Amino acid sequence: MDYKVREKSGYTPQIGHLVSMMEYARKTTLDAVSGLSTEQLDYLPTEKSNSIGALLLHMAAVEVGFQIEVFDGRSPNDEEKTERGAAYSLGHQGRSEINGNPLDFYLDKLVKVRQRTLAEFRLRNDKLLYEDIQWDGQPSNHFFIWFHVMEDEINHRGQIRIQRKMVE
Amino acid sequence: MDYKVREKSGYTPQIGHLVSMMEYARKTTLDAVSGLSTEQLDYLPTEKSNSIGALLLHMAAVEVGFQIEVFDGRSPNDEEKTERGAAYSLGHQGRSEINGNPLDFYLDKLVKVRQRTLAEFRLRNDKLLYEDIQWDGQPSNHFFIWFHVMEDEINHRGQIRIQRKMVE
C-alpha cells in the first residue's frame, strides 16, 4: 500500500486525507490479528481484560454508532443500542457475550461496517467534516468524530498487540 | 479544550489539522498517566512488557527521530542513535535502562520535544507535508510521518491504559 496521507481519488480533498489515515489504521489492525484462532480471540489475560475478539467488535460498534450520528443525523435508537450493547460497552457484558467466534466473524463485521462509511464519504464533500456536533458533551466537529473513530481503533490495536504476545 | 479538527491559528491549513489531532492525542496520553508514582511507572506486568515510563520515553524518542529526518533532512547520527537507544527500541534495553524516574522526568521530555515540533511547524507551510520520504522502505510523505508519530503515541496510550489498571 501507499504510505501517504493526501487527497484520494473518489473523495473530496479533506475526506481523502481522512480516508488515507483510516485505511492505514485498519491495515495495522488486520495485521495485528492475522491468523488468530477462536481460542486466541477469546483469551482474557486478566479477569478485567477485554478479549481481542471483543476489541474487534468494539471497533465496528463505535463506527456504527457514529455512522448513525453523522450520516443519519440522529442518536442510536433503543434497538440499535441493544444490538451493539456488549461490543460498545466492553467490560463484563463483553466478556460474557462475545466469544466462540472465528476470526472471519469479526473481519466480516469490520468490512461491512467500513463499506458504509466509505460509501457515505464518496457521496459527501468536505463541508460535512466541518459541521459542528457535540462529542462527550463538548463542542466538536465531524472531522474530529472520524478522527476519534480511527484513534479509538489504534488505541485498541495497541492493546491487541500486547495481548497477542501473551497467546503466541 | 476544543474537540475539533480544523485549521489552527499560527499554522498553515493542513498543518493546523495535523496539530489539532496531535494535541488531542497528547492530552489523552497525559490523562492516562496523571498522578502515577515512580513505582507505577516502572511496573512490568510480564517479563516481556514495557513499563509505562519506557513507553512515554519511547513517544519522545520517536518524535525526535522524525524531527531529524523531516526538519533537518538527514538520518540520526551515531550519537543521536545511542542517546535514544533504549527508549526507541524498548524491549530488553528499555527494561534495564529506563526506570527510577518520577513522572515529571517523562513529562518534561515530552514537552521539550513537542516544543521543537510545533516551533518548526509554525515556520513551515503545507508544502512540507506533501514532500516525499521513505518510510519503512516504502514511498511515503511527511504528512504520513507526523500522522505516524501520533498514531504510535495513541497505540502506546492504549497499552498504558491497560497497564495502569494493573497498578491501581
Side-chain angles (χ1 to χ4, degrees), chain A:
Chain A
M1 80 179 274
D2 181 329
Y3 295 105
K4 294 185 178 183
V5 177
R6 59 176 171 182
E7 297 186 18
K8 209 169 161 66
S9 173
Y11 304 93
T12 53
Q14 296 296 353
I15 293 179
H17 283 72
L18 182 60
V19 171
S20 302
M21 294 186 277
M22 290 174 74
E23 290 196 338
Y24 174 78
R26 177 55 49 88
K27 178 195 177 297
T28 62
T29 299
L30 299 182
D31 288 349
V33 299
S34 172
L36 289 178
S37 67
T38 299
E39 193 183 346
Q40 290 171 321
L41 289 162
D42 288 350
Y43 178 73
L44 296 168
T46 75
E47 62 181 20
K48 286 186 180 173
S49 297
N50 298 302
S51 70
I52 293 176
L55 293 173
L56 290 174
L57 211 56
H58 175 75
M59 292 173 187
V62 168
E63 188 162 342
V64 167
F66 286 116
Q67 285 174 344
I68 295 167
E69 300 259 6
V70 174
F71 300 135
D72 302 332
R74 61 175 177 84
S75 298
N77 61 35
D78 288 346
E79 188 185 335
E80 288 157 345
K81 280 184 189 164
T82 305
E83 193 186 327
R84 72 174 187 183
Y88 196 78
S89 317
L90 292 174
H92 174 71
Q93 200 186 350
R95 282 187 288 277
S96 62
E97 294 179 24
I98 305 169
N99 45 60
N101 305 301
L103 181 58
D104 278 351
F105 168 82
Y106 301 104
L107 300 187
D108 287 352
K109 188 80 182 165
L110 285 166
V111 167
K112 196 177 155 200
V113 170
R114 179 55 53 90
Q115 277 172 345
R116 181 183 178 200
T117 302
L118 296 180
E120 295 279 0
F121 279 156
R122 281 190 292 267
L123 294 172
R124 317 279 178 139
N125 62 45
D126 289 349
K127 196 164 161 279
L128 172 81
L129 299 184
Y130 301 99
E131 288 170 10
D132 289 344
I133 189 172
Q134 288 262 315
W135 181 77
D136 203 21
Q138 302 294 324
S140 180
N141 65 14
H142 288 160
F143 202 139
F144 178 87
I145 294 297
W146 290 104
F147 160 66
H148 171 61
V149 168
M150 170 178 76
E151 70 93 27
D152 193 62
E153 174 169 352
I154 295 164
N155 170 86
H156 293 304
R157 179 201 78 202
Q159 297 172 340
I160 287 172
R161 283 185 180 168
I162 52 176
Q163 289 189 200
R164 181 173 188 142
K165 282 189 200 164
M166 298 177 189
V167 292
E168 283 190 319

Side-chain angles (χ1 to χ4, degrees), chain A residues 3 17 130 140 151 157-158, chain B residues 3 17 130 140 151 157-159:
Chain A
Y3 295 105
H17 283 72
Y130 301 99
S140 180
E151 70 93 27
R157 179 201 78 202
Chain B
Y3 296 106
H17 283 72
Y130 301 99
S140 180
E151 70 94 27
R157 179 202 79 202
Q159 298 172 341

